[in-house]
Amino acid sequence: MDANECNNSENSTTITKQAPSSTISTKVVKLDEIGILISQGAEAKTYETDLYGLKCIVKERFSKAYRHPTLDQKISAKRILQEVRSLNKCKKKGIQVPSLYLVDIGNNRIYMEFIKGETVKHYLYKNQESIDHQDQIILTMKELGKQVGIIHEMNVIHGDLTTSNMLLRESTLELVFIDFGLSYTSNSVEDKAVDLYVLERAFISTHPNSEQLFQTILSAYELTSPSSKIVIQKLNQVRLRGRKKTCFG
Ligand SMILES: Nc1ncnc2c1ncn2[C@@H]1O[C@H](COP(=O)(O)OP(=O)(O)OP(=O)(O)O)[C@@H](O)[C@H]1O
């Protein structure tokens, strides 16, 4: 496969330089032929496939016809590298994210661990009203707040914190963060507060009566570091701005 190999042991990722062109095949394997399309977003298609016998997920960014091809390739490569960087930083800190198997910049693809489980969105839809699941839901919300706090402490902004971008591993019910395609590095309190605001809006718009759940997330977030208190104060300002926008357009 024509790829830049990404060796993701627990602590390191190396993207190796491409082999001399005489030694590699130029045939690009079409993912439609070898995988099952499981999702198509605005920028990428996600497939489930098999890599040397290992079930995996491949995320392929597709080109945008309205962008100049060279610029398009640059933007795609930048986003892929940013996603890879964020995944690695999180992995190193012990945050549950899919392990990286291969990065294929030439074909705008990332191959990663397939997480067997369901999205937090689906889990809450099914169980939010069930008395039997309340303890597990609260545990998951506390874990969510703590993990986002650690992610922010590393100055990683996820960029798309929604309950669709968190999976619960079937075997352990561990929370796994996915989709770092819009992530970036920033130490700005404002950026972290906006990340939380996106999560809050996602909760309010997707899960009815979830104010208490979000409060549980914030309480756990607040405990992660001294600076997280400041982020929550900023969140109040971001909320006010959001309301003004909704009221006055
Ligand atoms: N590592 C994984 N293991 C299992 N399923 C995954 C994995 N990564 C992604 N998925 C599934 O594929 C879907 C889309 O993945 P992802 O969110 O990364 O792509 P996207 O194109 O950026 O999507 P979106 O348009 O929702 O932002 C997820 O909602 C999830 O159901």
Side-chain angles (χ1 to χ4, degrees):
M1 195 175 300
D2 176 6
N4 299 306
E5 256 185 75
C6 177
N7 165 19
N8 179 247
S9 63
E10 209 55 14
N11 293 319
S12 71
T13 291
T14 36
I15 299 170
T16 59
K17 290 210 174 96
Q18 277 192 341
S21 55
S22 58
T23 64
I24 54 172
S25 159
T26 50
K27 185 174 182 293
V28 177
V29 183
K30 285 208 175 99
L31 291 173
D32 292 319
E33 290 166 10
I34 56 157
I36 305 163
L37 181 67
I38 56 168
S39 147
Q40 170 151 10
E43 303 259 327
K45 287 181 178 176
T46 308
Y47 294 84
E48 191 185 307
T49 186
D50 174 289
L51 186 70
Y52 304 117
L54 202 60
K55 193 169 174 180
C56 77
I57 288 286
V58 189
K59 199 165 159 181
E60 181 179 68
R61 295 193 159 270
F62 43 81
S63 27
K64 298 276 188 184
Y66 59 82
R67 281 202 294 244
H68 186 278
T70 313
L71 179 68
D72 191 67
Q73 182 59 37
K74 269 193 180 159
I75 292 174
S76 290
K78 200 172 159 216
R79 296 244 169 96
I80 288 175
L81 286 177
Q82 190 53 49
E83 185 159 4
V84 167
R85 228 174 257 141
S86 298
L87 284 169
N88 271 311
K89 278 190 187 168
C90 288
K91 191 76 154 179
K92 275 189 198 163
K93 266 278 176 190
I95 303 288
Q96 292 275 330
V97 292
S99 297
L100 281 167
Y101 293 157
L102 194 77
V103 181
D104 181 354
I105 293 284
N107 293 307
N108 300 325
R109 294 174 186 171
I110 302 179
Y111 293 69
M112 66 185 107
E113 176 191 358
F114 172 83
I115 308 290
K116 190 162 191 267
E118 63 182 334
T119 61
V120 170
K121 178 177 175 177
H122 191 232
Y123 176 78
L124 286 178
Y125 271 155
K126 270 191 337 196
N127 302 316
Q128 203 181 337
E129 300 300 326
S130 149
I131 307 263
D132 295 344
H133 285 86
Q134 292 310 306
D135 288 352
Q136 184 57 48
I137 289 175
I138 290 171
L139 266 181
T140 307
M141 295 305 112
K142 283 186 178 165
E143 200 50 32
L144 203 172
K146 183 178 161 192
Q147 303 289 324
V148 173
I150 299 172
I151 294 173
H152 281 178
E153 236 186 298
M154 289 184 289
N155 293 328
V156 172
I157 310 297
H158 183 282
D160 193 15
L161 278 177
T162 66
T163 48
S164 303
N165 286 333
M166 296 157 199
L167 302 174
L168 282 175
R169 240 185 240 279
E170 191 183 83
S171 52
T172 56
L173 287 185
E174 276 170 315
L175 194 63
V176 184
F177 289 84
I178 60 166
D179 196 6
F180 285 76
L182 292 175
S183 69
Y184 58 98
T185 307
S186 164
N187 62 4
S188 144
V189 171
E190 166 90 16
D191 290 348
K192 293 174 188 180
V194 170
D195 219 21
L196 285 183
Y197 185 63
V198 169
L199 181 62
E200 181 172 46
R201 299 308 305 169
F203 260 87
I204 291 169
S205 61
T206 329
H207 305 290
N209 309 317
S210 58
E211 292 78 7
Q212 193 52 47
L213 292 185
F214 191 70
Q215 201 43 56
T216 307
I217 295 172
L218 281 190
S219 303
Y221 178 91
E222 199 171 1
L223 295 177
T224 48
S225 78
S227 60
S228 47
K229 276 198 176 56
I230 304 166
V231 177
I232 291 178
Q233 283 162 14
K234 193 62 152 183
L235 172 63
N236 291 326
Q237 293 173 19
V238 175
R239 278 179 184 140
L240 280 175
R241 280 207 314 258
R243 273 192 213 120
K244 272 190 201 149
K245 250 192 193 161
T246 319
C247 288
F248 306 112

